[in-house]
Amino acid sequence: MDESDFHCIICLELPPNQVQQCSNGHIYCLDCWRKMQGAVPSARVCGECRSSLPEMNRALAAERAIAGFPATCGACGERMTRGELATHESACRARERQRR
């Protein structure tokens, strides 16, 4: 599997954090899932297979897979996994210099 297998079916981006899924495993980023949850309950269906969507249905295996994909810090260029990126960015000295 590659990164494209884990893109949100709505925004077509790789989810940056929590991943939700329909009962058939189609993946949504948390932002798109929340937007859909605001709809009338009978209208909440998967955009791919049209199955009804539950309130929440986390895809923990997808979250673990995404966390293992390579990432690069936008401030310093250091390579790491996506799972390590948030922690790195909060302490990245180059990022601190950019904020000033």
Side-chain angles (χ1 to χ4, degrees):
M1 296 189 121
D2 64 16
E3 287 186 17
S4 64
D5 294 321
F6 295 97
H7 285 199
C8 171
I9 68 166
I10 302 295
C11 67
L12 306 177
E13 297 291 327
L14 198 58
N17 47 34
Q18 195 179 106
V19 179
Q20 296 291 326
Q21 65 184 345
C22 77
S23 58
N24 290 316
H26 298 115
I27 292 174
Y28 294 85
C29 68
L30 188 56
D31 288 341
C32 289
W33 183 267
R34 285 182 174 157
K35 289 175 189 171
M36 291 174 46
Q37 293 301 9
V40 176
S42 62
R44 289 191 309 241
V45 295
C46 175
E48 189 76 22
C49 67
R50 312 307 290 167
S51 65
S52 296
L53 292 177
E55 285 291 318
M56 297 295 272
N57 192 20
R58 280 184 73 177
L60 298 176
E63 290 176 14
R64 284 190 295 276
I66 292 168
F69 291 143
T72 303
C73 175
C76 72
E78 186 175 332
R79 306 259 314 143
M80 65 205 71
T81 66
R82 289 178 60 90
E84 298 166 331
L85 186 60
T87 302
H88 168 81
E89 287 179 334
S90 67
C92 179
R93 293 178 188 249
R95 190 174 184 90
E96 280 298 315
R97 286 191 294 271
Q98 287 178 342
R99 291 182 185 160
R100 293 180 194 173

